[in-house]
Amino acid sequence: MRILLVEDDQALGEGIRTALKPEGYTVDWLQDGASALHALSHESFELAILDLGLPRMDGLQVLKHLRAAANPVPVLVLTARDATSDRIAGLDAGADDYLIKPFDVAELKARLRALLRRSFQRPQPALEYRGIRLDPASQMVEYQGQAINLPRKEFLLLHELLIQPGRVLTRDKLQQALYGWDEEVESNALEVHVHHLRKKFFPELIRTVRGVGYLVDK
Ligand code: CA
């Protein structure tokens, strides 16, 4: 579960990241609005925690740009301003929920769980490809009608690859989708997952594009 945390307060950012890690979230942390908008536009996150008062671009502007581009990522807004008008502006701009600082970490965790539950209930179509059926809602995978039990990282990898067959996915992009930016990863971890997927399904499922990444043929 990859979350983008956007918070310019060093202590608060550290605190949130530390609190969320044991919950199994991969937390990537940025400290200004412009970088956040760039990351959210180019990479996939299950959720964003967005402070409103940020350098280089206000959180509200980030949110407006995201929604104008039809980016559906669930956003939890953090705000120190307790003026009702800011909260309303945040919700109007497309925030899914908000928390006023200071807040209790337990409450933050509960809000995140609720948001993620809601977002997974949005209909996500099952992906079908040459006898493979992957259902993102139930997290079930079948091959030729048989249920296949995949470890989390293999599931995520297969999901990324099947979203758009024919598109080459770079090693960087896949590694970020699986691990986030700063999780230490063995350099051959991706190859190992690919190898397992080929064995569990069929060898031609994933094509290596030498020096670039991987591809599932159309
Ligand atoms: Ca701030």
Side-chain angles (χ1 to χ4, degrees):
M1 200 66 68
R2 189 176 182 214
I3 291 183
L4 183 67
L5 167 64
V6 193
E7 170 60 66
D8 61 322
D9 182 300
Q10 196 72 24
L12 184 58
E14 296 274 7
I16 293 175
R17 192 159 66 160
T18 309
L20 295 185
K21 279 232 159 135
E23 307 285 305
Y25 299 116
T26 299
V27 182
D28 287 321
W29 177 21
L30 291 173
Q31 306 192 24
D32 72 85
S35 316
L37 181 59
H38 186 266
L40 288 164
S41 310
H42 292 89
E43 295 179 31
S44 53
F45 295 90
E46 267 83 18
L47 191 141
I49 302 172
L50 181 67
D51 183 27
L52 284 190
L54 289 169
R56 288 184 68 211
M57 185 186 285
D58 191 80
L60 213 48
Q61 290 305 313
V62 174
L63 197 49
K64 283 181 179 161
H65 277 101
L66 279 180
R67 296 313 189 216
N71 187 321
V73 66
V75 175
L76 172 78
V77 157
L78 300 181
T79 173
R81 315 164 189 178
D82 56 2
T84 316
S85 61
D86 281 330
R87 295 205 298 270
I88 293 171
L91 292 169
D92 278 348
D96 297 271
D97 199 358
Y98 64 86
L99 264 181
I100 298 166
K101 298 177 195 174
F103 52 82
D104 194 286
V105 163
E107 178 165 13
L108 173 65
K109 289 179 186 171
R111 301 281 188 106
L112 292 180
R113 283 196 297 272
L115 269 183
L116 289 167
R117 261 200 311 276
R118 281 200 315 240
S119 94
F120 281 115
Q121 279 159 5
R122 281 176 205 165
Q124 288 180 300
L127 304 171
E128 309 222 16
Y129 182 81
R130 298 190 192 177
I132 301 173
R133 184 169 195 282
L134 182 150
D135 185 350
S138 64
Q139 309 260 306
M140 296 279 286
V141 180
E142 285 176 4
Y143 182 45
Q144 296 176 339
Q146 300 283 318
I148 304 273
N149 209 352
L150 293 183
R152 180 86 196 132
K153 300 288 189 201
E154 287 176 28
F155 179 89
L156 290 173
L157 177 57
L158 185 63
H159 186 221
E160 283 297 317
L161 287 162
L162 293 188
I163 287 173
Q164 208 183 316
R167 173 188 58 153
V168 179
L169 290 163
T170 64
R171 295 181 48 89
D172 272 1
K173 168 136 178 95
L174 288 172
Q175 238 146 20
Q176 281 165 13
L178 266 55
Y179 298 101
W181 293 323
D182 52 20
E183 193 173 320
E184 280 298 324
V185 187
E186 298 274 335
S187 63
N188 69 341
L190 198 54
E191 282 73 16
V192 173
H193 294 316
V194 167
H195 173 75
H196 286 156
L197 287 177
R198 283 174 176 150
K199 255 174 75 177
K200 286 175 188 174
F201 298 95
F202 49 96
E204 312 79 46
L205 171 62
I206 302 168
R207 209 142 57 77
T208 303
V209 184
R210 214 159 281 288
V212 183
Y214 295 98
L215 162 76
V216 160
D217 280 320
K218 256 192 180 149

